[in-house]
């Protein structure tokens, strides 16, 4: 481990210090003095020497380095300097940073034009700041140095930065280690090859969303197909009826043939024509049904989308109303709390202004009714005053407690109210977007098509009509006059009946196509439900995997510390997951610890970082008087103690019982 110790520091004209030299011991140094004796200035000087910043990370352009005179103005023509001697693995390194004034020349000799910073290494002036920074970084990088020198620096960092540093110290837990815990983890790992668990989770979520969207539309599509589907009939009976009528028609034709042998050839041809006409009429009927089925499909699809989006708009409106009602209720609670706190303030003021009023006969002996002696009266007054003060204090404390409780409750309600108002704004935006989509769909909604016009303009249908007309015209060609009037009338009736039956029969193919569409949609619905279930199972396994990985990582992280423990807690903020890093001691969060425990927790963290980074550096502990005992450290400790000494003192020896101090002389 690289060991860095501060052996000596010399301040000249730095802030309030004109000239100060401090020699530090290797392990622990105590520097004492009243507030304002420049203890913190020493810390600022050390940070400025190394990095050009003070202990609060302000650059030297943002805090005053210069020494001020009695008039509060900077004393000119001074060199402001800090020199430090560091021991780095037993090798002494002397660093020096000077802040100097640049004056004009000639007629401008009395004009302060600028300032410059000078850098020295082991007494040798360096040419550039870059060279100096490189030498300092070689000893200890700035980001690491601040974590190693200030017990409160790491706990004050952002939770995400704390987590990143802890994970770097502990080393990551491989997915393969976690996968070995459960067979389903191994299966999961094989599926996410080449991707992170987070990326895979986003893919799963996107697939689930797409499936859910598709599932929402399937019921409406099924209903739409069913609404357009003709009613089913007894197809067996219908076929039988057609077959029966055709047989009767054949019988009539046979009779006509018997009566008209001479035109047998013509009649046979007409039979063929009639059959052709029937076939064409069947095709015509089927074509009509096809047109009716498809003519308004695009409009139906658009209306289905409008219905889905309108339902979502209504849902958002309901949620917004619920949220607004909740926000109003909370606001009413807040106003009521304000009224109650106002009443409590009045009560507090009233009680606080109360003074003791001696009751009648307070200073008369209850037995003999004689006035008490002067000393007895005084004792009685003191007793009554003490009782009065105690009662008054208890009542004031009770009012204060109630006030604090109500203030805390109000604060929680205000936060909750703010979250709800934010939710309402998001919902309003989502609703507006949905309404925009509905309006766009309505604006572009295909017009309702006239079925009859579509049929009348269909080329295939027109062609069939023309063909039927031509065939029917052929039938009108008369043969030799034969009295077959009745037979022809009967034949005509049968033919019309057969045509009507064939038209009804044409619905069967339409129904079969519709039923196939419905079957396919239902199959797709079942497949999507199964796919959704599979994805939810994978999602659960992924969540379980991440928890197992985090637990294993936390074991490694907390194994580095003797006092503190860390945990990564998942919080839900506005519907989004937020991972935060929490430091605790015996289950108590760091911010809730007392000063001594916070100090030791910070030192425990520094020890772990030193071991991880392989380097130790001086630790500055301000307000050391507030801590009786600190845990052992691998680093040098410089204690800054508030005492009654009116000038800076350094402890020569002693363990707290028998201590001796000598004055740190400065001018």
């Amino acid at each position: 481990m690289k060991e860095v110790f501060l052996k000596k520091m010399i301040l000249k004209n730095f802030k309030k210090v004109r000239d100060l030299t401090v020699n530090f011991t290797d392990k622990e140094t105590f520097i004492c003095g009243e507030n304002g004796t420049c203890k913190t200035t020493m810390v600022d000087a050390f940070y400025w020497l190394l990095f050009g910043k003070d202990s609060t990370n302000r650059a030297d352009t943002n805090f005053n380095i210069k020494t001020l005179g009695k008039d509060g103005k900077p004393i000119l023509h001074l060199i402001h300097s800090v020199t430090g001697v560091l021991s780095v693995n037993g090798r002494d390194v002397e660093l020096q940073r000077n802040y100097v004034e640049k004056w004009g020349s000639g007629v401008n000799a009395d004009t302060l034009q600028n300032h410059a910073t000078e850098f020295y290494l082991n007494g040798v002036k360096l040419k550039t700041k870059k060279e100096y920074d490189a030498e300092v970084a070689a000893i200890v990088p700035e980001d690491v140095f601040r974590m190693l020198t200030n017990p409160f620096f790491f706990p004050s960092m952002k939770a995400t930065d704390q987590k990143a540093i802890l994970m770097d110290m502990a080393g990551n837990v491989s997915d393969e280690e976690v996968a070995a815990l459960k067979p389903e983890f191994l299966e999961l790992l094989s599926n996410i090859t080449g991707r992170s668990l987070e990326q895979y989770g986003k893919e799963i979520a996107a697939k689930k969303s797409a499936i859910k969207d598709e599932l929402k539309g399937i019921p409406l599509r099924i209903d739409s197909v069913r609404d357009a589907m003709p009613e089913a009939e007894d197809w067996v009976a219908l076929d039988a009826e057609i077959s029966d009528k055709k047989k009767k028609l054949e019988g009539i034709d046979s009779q006509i043939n018997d009566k008209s042998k001479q035109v047998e050839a013509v009649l046979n041809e007409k039979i063929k024509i009639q059959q052709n006409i029937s076939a064409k009429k069947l095709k015509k009927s089927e074509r009509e049904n096809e047109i009716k089925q498809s003519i308004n499909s695009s409009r139906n699809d658009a209306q289905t989308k409008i219905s889905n989006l309108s339902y979502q708009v209504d849902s958002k409106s309901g949620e917004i109303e619920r949220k607004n009602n909740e926000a109003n209720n909370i606001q009413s609670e807040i106003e009521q709390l304000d009224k109650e706190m106002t009443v409590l303030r009045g009560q507090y003021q009233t009680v606080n202004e109360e003074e003791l009023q001696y009751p009648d006969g307070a200073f008369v002996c209850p037995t003999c009714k004689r006035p008490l002696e002067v000393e007895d009266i005084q004792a009685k007054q003191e007793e009554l005053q003490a009782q009065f003060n105690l009662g008054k204090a208890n009542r004031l404390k009770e009012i204060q407690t109630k006030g604090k409780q109500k203030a805390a409750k109000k604060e929680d309600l205000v936060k909750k109210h703010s979250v709800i108002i934010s939710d309402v704004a998001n919902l309003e935006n989502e609703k507006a977007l949905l309404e925009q989509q509905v309006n766009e769909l309505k604006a572009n909604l295909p017009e309702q098509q006239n079925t009859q016009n579509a049929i009348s303009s269909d080329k295939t249908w027109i062609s069939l009509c023309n063909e039927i007309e031509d065939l029917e015209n052929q039938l009108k060609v008369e043969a030799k006059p034969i009295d077959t009037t009745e037979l022809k009338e009967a034949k005509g009736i049968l033919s019309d009946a057969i045509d009507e039956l064939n038209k009804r029969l044409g619905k069967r193919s339409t129904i079969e196509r519709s039923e196939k569409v419905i079957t396919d949609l239902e199959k797709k619905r079942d497949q999507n439900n199964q796919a959704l279930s599979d994805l939810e199972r994978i999602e659960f396994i992924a969540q379980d995997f991440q928890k197992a990985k985090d637990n294993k990582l936390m074991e490694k992280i907390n194994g580095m510390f003797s006092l503190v423990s860390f945990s990564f807690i998942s919080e839900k903020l506005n519907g989004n997951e937020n991972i935060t890093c929490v430091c605790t001691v015996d289950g108590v969060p760091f911010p809730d610890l007392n000063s001594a425990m916070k100090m030791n927790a910070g030192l425990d963290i520094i020890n772990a970082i030193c071991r991880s980074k392989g380097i130790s550096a001086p630790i500055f502990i301000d307000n050391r008087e507030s801590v009786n005992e600190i845990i052992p450290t691998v680093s040098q400790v410089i204690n800054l103690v508030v005492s009654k000494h009116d000038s800076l003192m350094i402890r020569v020896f002693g363990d707290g019982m028998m201590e001796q101090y000598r004055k740190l002389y400065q001018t």
Side-chain angles (χ1 to χ4, degrees):
M1 176 181 288
K2 181 191 286 187
E3 295 182 331
V4 180
F5 292 93
L6 178 60
K7 297 180 69 174
K8 179 190 285 187
M9 194 159 63
I10 303 171
L11 283 68
K12 292 185 181 293
N13 302 314
F14 184 84
K15 298 174 75 171
K16 293 195 307 182
V17 178
R18 297 300 300 269
D19 191 356
L20 174 66
T21 299
V22 183
N23 292 295
F24 301 90
T25 61
D26 284 348
K27 284 304 290 181
E28 193 168 22
T29 301
F30 284 81
I31 296 175
C32 309
E34 289 181 342
N35 291 323
T37 53
C38 300
K39 297 186 296 297
T40 304
T41 298
M42 293 174 59
V43 185
D44 290 338
F46 187 50
Y47 278 90
W48 183 76
L49 168 67
L50 296 177
F51 309 113
K53 304 173 184 177
D54 69 359
S55 57
T56 62
N57 208 33
R58 294 181 301 172
D60 52 20
T61 54
N62 294 324
F63 76 96
N64 187 37
I65 296 175
K66 290 191 170 186
T67 305
L68 304 180
K70 292 181 180 180
D71 59 358
K73 297 179 180 179
I75 302 174
L76 302 178
H77 302 289
L78 296 179
I79 296 175
H80 310 278
S81 171
V82 177
T83 303
V85 179
L86 300 176
S87 173
V88 184
N89 284 342
R91 178 177 65 88
D92 286 356
V93 178
E94 183 182 280
L95 299 171
Q96 182 179 343
R97 185 188 290 259
N98 295 341
Y99 190 71
V100 299
E101 298 170 348
K102 296 292 184 181
W103 293 86
S105 58
V107 296
N108 296 317
D110 295 328
T111 303
L112 178 61
Q113 296 184 334
N114 208 339
H115 295 83
T117 305
E118 299 174 343
F119 307 94
Y120 295 83
L121 175 65
N122 296 326
V124 179
K125 186 176 182 180
L126 301 179
K127 294 181 179 179
T128 63
K129 179 178 181 294
K130 186 176 180 180
E131 290 181 82
Y132 185 83
D133 289 343
E135 292 291 340
V136 173
I139 300 172
V140 56
E142 182 178 355
D143 58 339
V144 176
F145 181 85
R146 290 187 177 274
M147 290 191 292
L148 298 182
T149 58
N150 184 353
F152 299 100
F153 184 80
F154 185 90
S156 68
M157 295 171 66
K158 293 180 179 178
T160 52
D161 294 338
Q162 291 186 38
K163 183 180 179 182
I165 293 170
L166 291 171
M167 291 180 69
D168 181 65
M169 291 167 58
N172 202 5
V173 177
S174 70
D175 290 343
E176 288 72 21
E177 287 181 70
V178 182
L181 299 174
K182 292 183 180 181
E184 53 265 38
F185 289 172
L186 290 170
E187 179 186 354
L188 175 69
L189 205 60
S190 66
N191 291 331
I192 63 173
T193 305
R195 294 164 292 179
S196 68
L197 190 62
E198 184 179 3
Q199 290 172 326
Y200 189 60
K202 290 180 179 178
E203 292 177 13
I204 296 296
K207 290 178 181 178
K208 283 177 61 183
S209 180
I211 290 172
K212 288 179 178 179
D213 289 342
E214 191 169 6
L215 281 170
K216 287 179 183 177
I218 288 176
L220 291 171
R221 293 172 64 186
I222 291 174
D223 291 340
S224 178
V225 174
R226 281 189 175 136
D227 291 340
M229 188 169 62
E231 291 185 8
E233 297 190 44
D234 189 345
W235 308 120
V236 175
L238 201 58
D239 280 331
E241 188 176 355
I242 291 172
S243 179
D244 180 65
K245 290 188 182 304
K246 283 182 177 180
K247 287 179 181 179
K248 291 179 179 179
L249 186 63
E250 290 173 1
I252 292 172
D253 287 335
S254 178
Q255 292 179 52
I256 292 173
N257 287 337
D258 290 341
K259 291 183 178 183
S260 310
K261 297 285 184 182
Q262 67 275 23
V263 292
E264 186 176 355
V266 176
L267 290 176
N268 288 336
E269 183 64 23
K270 287 190 176 185
I271 291 171
K272 291 180 181 179
I273 292 171
Q274 184 61 57
Q275 292 173 342
N276 200 3
I277 289 172
S278 297
K280 300 258 183 217
K281 287 184 176 182
L282 178 60
K283 289 183 179 180
K284 175 185 170 187
S285 177
E286 290 177 345
R287 184 60 183 163
E288 288 175 356
N289 288 326
E290 288 175 357
I291 294 170
K292 289 178 180 179
Q293 178 67 28
S294 63
I295 190 67
N296 286 307
S297 60
S298 59
R299 180 180 175 88
N300 292 337
D301 290 342
Q303 287 177 328
T304 299
K305 291 180 181 178
I306 290 172
S307 179
N308 289 339
L309 291 171
S310 296
Y311 175 79
Q312 294 180 49
V313 169
D314 293 339
S315 297
K316 296 292 182 186
S317 297
E319 194 171 356
I320 289 169
E321 184 178 359
R322 183 180 62 79
K323 290 279 188 183
N324 282 329
N325 289 336
E326 187 177 355
N328 291 336
N329 291 336
I330 291 174
Q331 185 60 41
S332 297
E333 284 191 66
I334 293 172
E335 293 173 357
Q336 181 60 33
L337 286 170
D338 285 333
K339 293 178 181 178
E340 293 173 359
M341 286 191 288
T342 300
V343 172
L344 288 173
R345 292 188 192 99
Q347 292 176 355
Y348 185 94
Q349 183 176 356
T350 300
V351 173
N352 195 44
E353 292 175 352
E354 289 181 359
E355 294 182 356
L356 176 62
Q357 300 292 327
Y358 297 117
D360 295 336
F363 307 114
V364 176
C365 178
T367 305
C368 63
K369 307 300 180 181
R370 292 175 57 192
L372 298 175
E373 301 293 332
V374 174
E375 57 269 20
D376 292 333
I377 291 173
Q378 186 177 358
K380 185 67 173 179
Q381 287 176 335
E382 291 175 353
E383 180 187 351
L384 291 172
Q385 188 66 52
Q387 291 175 352
F388 175 81
N389 291 342
L390 178 61
K392 182 179 178 178
N394 289 336
R395 288 160 62 199
L396 290 174
K397 184 178 180 181
E398 183 181 355
I399 294 170
Q400 283 182 321
T401 301
K402 290 180 180 178
K404 289 178 180 178
Q405 291 172 345
K406 293 184 183 296
K409 185 176 180 181
K410 178 186 174 181
E411 184 179 357
D412 291 338
L413 290 173
V414 169
K415 291 179 180 177
K416 188 175 180 182
H417 186 272
S418 178
V419 170
I420 293 172
I421 294 301
S422 177
D423 290 343
V424 170
N426 292 334
L427 289 168
E428 291 284 2
N429 291 335
E430 292 169 3
K431 178 185 174 184
L433 184 60
L434 290 168
E435 288 175 336
Q436 182 182 351
Q437 295 177 26
V438 170
N439 292 332
E440 289 176 356
L441 285 170
K442 286 182 177 179
N444 298 307
L445 184 67
E447 293 184 358
Q448 180 76 37
Q449 298 295 313
N450 188 303
T451 306
Q452 193 56 49
N453 289 342
I455 293 172
S456 301
S457 61
D458 180 74
K459 292 181 179 180
T460 302
W461 186 84
I462 292 170
S463 178
L464 287 169
C465 288
N466 291 335
E467 291 172 5
I468 292 169
E469 185 177 0
D470 291 340
L471 292 169
E472 288 175 344
N473 287 334
Q474 293 177 34
L475 288 176
K476 294 177 181 178
V477 178
E478 295 184 1
K480 292 180 181 181
I482 300 173
D483 189 11
T484 55
T485 303
E486 292 181 0
L487 290 172
K488 287 181 178 180
E489 287 177 354
K491 182 179 179 179
I493 293 170
L494 281 171
S495 296
D496 291 340
I498 291 170
D499 290 342
E500 183 61 28
L501 291 171
N502 282 328
K503 188 174 180 180
R504 290 163 59 190
L505 192 64
K507 297 178 183 178
R508 180 167 59 183
S509 60
T510 301
I511 292 173
E512 288 173 352
R513 287 194 298 271
S514 297
E515 287 177 341
K516 186 178 184 307
V517 171
I518 291 172
T519 300
D520 292 340
L521 287 171
E522 289 175 340
K523 184 178 179 181
K524 194 170 187 178
R525 177 192 61 198
D526 294 339
Q527 291 172 344
N528 281 336
N529 282 328
Q530 183 59 50
L532 186 62
S533 177
D534 293 339
L535 289 172
E536 287 174 346
R537 174 182 172 274
I538 294 171
E539 197 174 47
F540 176 81
I541 293 172
Q543 293 172 355
D544 195 21
F545 181 94
Q546 188 60 55
K547 288 179 182 177
K549 188 174 183 178
D550 287 343
N551 289 336
K552 209 164 184 65
L553 181 61
M554 291 313 305
E555 290 177 5
K556 291 183 68 176
I557 289 173
N558 289 323
M560 299 187 296
F561 303 95
S562 59
L563 184 63
V564 302
S565 296
F566 287 89
S567 60
F568 302 150
I569 301 174
S570 177
E571 298 178 334
K572 292 288 186 178
L573 300 175
N574 298 328
N576 300 315
E577 190 174 61
N578 180 53
I579 306 296
T580 184
C581 182
V582 178
C583 174
T584 62
V585 176
D586 294 331
V588 181
F590 184 90
D592 298 332
L593 298 172
N594 59 39
S595 299
M597 190 57 72
K598 284 182 179 178
M599 181 72 70
N600 283 312
L603 293 174
D604 189 32
I605 295 170
I606 289 176
N607 284 339
I609 297 173
C610 288
R611 290 191 292 270
S612 174
K613 302 293 183 180
I615 185 172
S616 67
I619 302 172
F620 286 85
I621 301 180
D622 206 356
N623 297 317
R624 177 64 173 83
E625 74 281 355
S626 63
V627 184
N628 292 329
E629 196 172 331
I630 61 173
I631 64 172
T633 66
V634 299
S635 307
Q636 177 189 23
V637 178
I638 299 171
N639 301 282
L640 304 177
V641 184
V642 177
S643 69
K644 295 182 179 180
H645 301 101
D646 58 3
S647 60
L648 284 182
M649 308 288 288
I650 186 167
R651 192 173 76 180
V652 179
F653 65 83
D655 57 2
M657 299 296 292
M658 297 285 293
E659 298 181 344
Q660 286 192 12
Y661 294 84
R662 64 175 174 82
K663 187 174 181 179
L664 287 172
Y665 292 98
Q666 57 172 306
T667 59

